[in-house]
Amino acid sequence: MPKLKIVGGRRLSGEIVVDGAKNSAVALIPASILCDETVEINNVPDISDIDALEEILDYLGVKVERGKHSIVFNDTKIDNKFIPCSMSGKLRASYYFMGAILGKYKHVDMCFPGGCSIGERPINLHLKGFEKLGAVVREDDGRVIIDADELVGAEIFLDFPSVGATINIILAAVKARGKTVIDNAAKEPHVIDVCNFLNSMGACISGIGTGRIEIIGVDHLHATKHNVVPDMIEAGTYVIIASLLGKNLKVSNLDPLHIESLTSKLEEAGVNLEIGDDYISVADVGEYKGIDIKTMVYPGFPTDLQQPMTPFLVSCEGISHIEETIWENRFQNVADTIKMGASIEVSSDNKVATIYGSSKLVGKEVSATDLRGGASMVICGLIAEGETIIDNISYILRGYDDIVGKLNRVGADIKIVD
Ligand code: EPZ
């Protein structure tokens, strides 16, 4: 199995250009099925999650033209058959095929989605939303069968502002009869991007980016071209790296507002950030003090950045805390970070990590436990003394387009080895 080999301690200079958002692209691609004409999506990240979605499209008979950072649907009709676990189980975002296929064909038959082991990852809010729209949902040994004679707009209140449930219910509602309201909806930039994409093909969605989204059903969705919004989590990951090792290191093609929760925390720790309209750069690094972080839904501190933030807090002076409120098992990267020399305690309920700073990390053989945990280990390797070998790197390659090339080009000593 390929591994990453990193020799740490190198200062990084130059420019890293952020790609399109994984968590938008993985929704836009299934959503394209809803369109009645052609669809072109650009700024698509070149990552294995997109390959997994393309495999499902191919299985359903949807032929697409895939470029390195684009995908074109010349025909969106599908052969609506059972989607097996071998395909849907490869990623969590396969669940967007539920909303899209239900919204267009009123019948879905597929296995439950997969995804990283950061928590139990239920989809009850998605399925409850489909039922509110008039669908009948049957679950049978990991398989979901959803049928609707007709989808009728409804008032839906989400127990939790779930990103996936918000998007999936919108997909099922865009062609339903009448008005659907989703209250307590998610506001993440990738949710906004999916709404803008659907409206660009003639959907009628309002309240975008607020907690109350209204969808008036339409009969026809026309051709569209769309650019995926920049990836706020990829951007944040590289801004953290710049804060630790940057010497005139610029992270560009980002919206600073999307990661204001991160930049405000980095500045609280003492990082000197230059924040432009579409870039963030670090001229030089300094001594930083420990801070406390609590993960929240957008616009709060994103759960997907708490693991990449851990090596930063390890490097700060003093004591820091990370409180993870979204997922129940998202400190799996801590064990290997301790193995590299960090001093971290996780509470017995697995909700709070206490980080005793000023630790100097030493390169070791470690593993990626999940996507963002893997990114965290890359950052540990970049700041550690000596050589770090990271195993299970398929997790990392699921969500970071050309991470090795991007870091090499700014001076990191990182390569994929067998
Ligand atoms: C999306 O997952 C992202 N994945 C996750 O990113 C991200 O951590 C998460 O949103 C939160 O921002 C994709 O977009 C593919 P949720 P999602 O529904 O949609 C509970 C990454 O690293 N919940 O907002 O699955 C759930 O258990 C990945 O890129 C229910 O209880 O997240 C969790 O506690 C990891 N029932 C909370 O809501 C449901 O039906 C947040 O889940 C759905 C969710």
Side-chain angles (χ1 to χ4, degrees), residues 29 40-46 50 54 64-72 226:
I29 290 171
E40 178 180 332
I41 306 173
N42 293 301
N43 201 34
V44 177
D46 183 19
I50 305 299
E54 188 182 0
V64 296
E65 288 169 42
R66 177 90 180 277
K68 186 162 177 55
H69 290 118
S70 66
I71 187 164
V72 175
H226 182 81

Side-chain angles (χ1 to χ4, degrees), residues 22-23 92 95 122-125 162-164 304 326-327 372:
K22 166 182 87 82
N23 291 345
R92 174 133 173 104
Y95 55 32
I123 59 168
N124 59 310
L125 299 180
S162 153
V163 168
D304 294 350
I326 307 292
W327 299 108
R372 307 301 174 183

Side-chain angles (χ1 to χ4, degrees), residues 308-360:
M309 195 68 170
T310 299
F312 174 85
L313 299 177
V314 164
S315 308
C316 291
E317 288 168 26
I319 298 176
S320 300
H321 300 91
I322 295 176
E323 184 180 354
E324 171 59 59
T325 69
I326 307 292
W327 299 108
E328 60 271 30
N329 186 28
R330 202 163 201 177
F331 290 120
Q332 298 175 87
N333 51 296
V334 166
D336 273 351
T337 309
I338 291 170
K339 180 179 174 183
M340 293 178 73
S343 176
I344 305 173
E345 289 167 2
V346 177
S347 58
S348 56
D349 61 5
N350 214 15
K351 290 185 187 304
V352 179
T354 301
I355 299 162
Y356 301 90
S358 305
S359 302
K360 295 290 174 232

Side-chain angles (χ1 to χ4, degrees), residues 12-18 248-253 278-280 405-407 409-410:
L12 305 178
S13 304
E15 182 177 14
I16 293 176
V17 181
V18 174
N248 297 315
L249 180 58
K250 181 178 185 181
V251 183
S252 57
N253 187 37
D278 64 352
Y279 72 88
I280 293 173
K406 285 174 178 169
L407 288 170
R409 286 190 288 276
V410 295

